[in-house]
Amino acid sequence: MSIRVERDKETGVAVVTLDRPEKHNAITLDMARDLAAVWRGFRYEDEVRAVVVTGAGGRAFCTGIDRSVDVPQPSSPYTIDDPLLAIGPKANDLWKPVVAAVEGMACGGAFYLLGEAEFLIAGQDATFFDPHTTYGMVSAFETVHMAQKMPFGEVARMALMGTAERVSARRAYETGLVSEVTEPGGALAAAIRAAAVIASYPTEAVQGTVRALWSTREASRVQALAHAPHLVTLGNLPPERQAELFTRRSGGHLLR
């Protein structure tokens, strides 16, 4: 399996790891289904009171959906099949707190997961970027998720600059996306420590607090996500054109 789950009964913390380091933890269709099942399963595990989500290998948290995955699309312009829609905890009605531990790259579809975490902890070498526009794709779901966590101008710059720019862990901390920056390789340990503190409190109060926090933005978030499929359908280049741009991509980028 490419999703690994470890539970610590003593602390009440579970660690969910995307475990495809050789592919930068890119998500396959099986992984997407497994993630949804994991989040939904945690609702019934009373011994799990807080969760950490991370990526294996240190080179990447996640780089979105695996480019080799074939996702057939309906012909209707009013709908889209997006296998990443249900990979996050909130999409699966889980209100136990989730802390994300980010090392290396986090980009594109990774924001479906990061956008539904309560807060992020990142290693010093972590970078965040959104490649969609570079390859002729609309960044819709990703920008909606990030707009809940970053100032408008920062989200706009990251989405529109595409692969030309990387947001450093330090800059992500300065703009509020990341709550703590650790030494390289230290994000997971820091996230587990924070999750263990939260898990030590009465879970009913913790889950109620998580639900209250999300209710402050839920209306605008739901409305924005409802527009996303139509924007993607209208704005995306045909898949073969996207693939052509992808194979011609340049490795140069700016870090800020």
Side-chain angles (χ1 to χ4, degrees):
M1 283 186 60
S2 299
I3 302 296
R4 179 160 39 91
V5 181
E6 299 164 279
R7 299 165 176 83
D8 187 328
K9 291 184 178 180
E10 184 175 341
T11 63
V13 174
V15 177
V16 177
T17 304
L18 309 182
D19 197 7
R20 288 186 81 210
E22 72 285 357
K23 295 292 185 180
H24 297 307
N25 299 315
I27 297 174
T28 64
L29 297 183
D30 285 342
M31 289 173 68
R33 286 189 287 267
D34 289 345
L35 274 169
V38 165
W39 299 127
R40 296 188 74 81
F42 282 152
R43 298 179 308 159
Y44 299 95
E45 296 186 39
D46 291 344
E47 65 274 16
V48 172
R49 298 183 296 280
V51 185
V52 173
V53 61
T54 192
R59 295 173 61 197
F61 170 80
C62 175
T63 54
I65 195 163
D66 191 311
R67 290 285 302 182
S68 67
V69 168
D70 180 30
V71 184
Q73 293 297 325
S75 58
S76 170
Y78 300 104
T79 185
I80 186 173
D81 248 355
D82 186 338
L84 301 187
L85 284 179
I87 65 170
K90 307 305 177 291
N92 289 284
D93 200 35
L94 178 71
W95 301 101
K96 296 177 181 181
V98 177
V99 182
V102 181
E103 299 281 356
M105 295 183 292
C107 65
F111 297 147
Y112 286 70
L113 271 176
L114 297 181
E116 294 196 2
E118 271 55 70
F119 57 91
L120 281 58
I121 295 176
Q124 200 169 52
D125 295 338
T127 58
F128 304 83
F129 65 101
D130 189 345
H132 281 74
T133 55
T134 301
Y135 303 132
M137 296 181 285
V138 175
S139 177
F141 295 101
E142 295 80 6
T143 51
V144 169
H145 283 298
M146 288 299 96
Q148 312 304 308
K149 294 183 174 295
M150 299 170 69
F152 179 90
E154 294 295 323
V155 182
R157 177 167 175 152
M158 181 172 69
L160 295 172
M161 291 291 285
T163 60
E165 188 170 78
R166 305 286 194 268
V167 177
S168 67
R170 178 54 54 186
R171 181 60 181 164
Y173 174 78
E174 292 169 350
T175 58
L177 173 60
V178 167
S179 67
E180 179 183 350
V181 177
T182 72
E183 292 299 314
L188 178 57
I192 290 173
R193 285 195 298 271
V197 171
I198 298 168
S200 71
Y201 302 149
T203 189
E204 296 82 1
V206 168
Q207 291 186 55
T209 300
V210 170
R211 195 67 186 87
L213 283 166
W214 280 88
S215 69
T216 64
R217 296 178 174 180
E218 196 161 34
S220 61
R221 178 174 174 267
V222 169
Q223 186 177 27
L225 287 172
H227 288 295
H230 312 303
L231 299 174
V232 170
T233 302
L234 288 168
N236 275 16
L237 290 180
E240 59 273 14
R241 179 63 177 140
Q242 294 177 28
E244 180 185 337
L245 292 173
F246 188 79
T247 57
R248 286 166 35 192
R249 70 189 187 278
S250 168
H253 61 263
L254 302 173
L255 180 68
R256 69 182 180 104

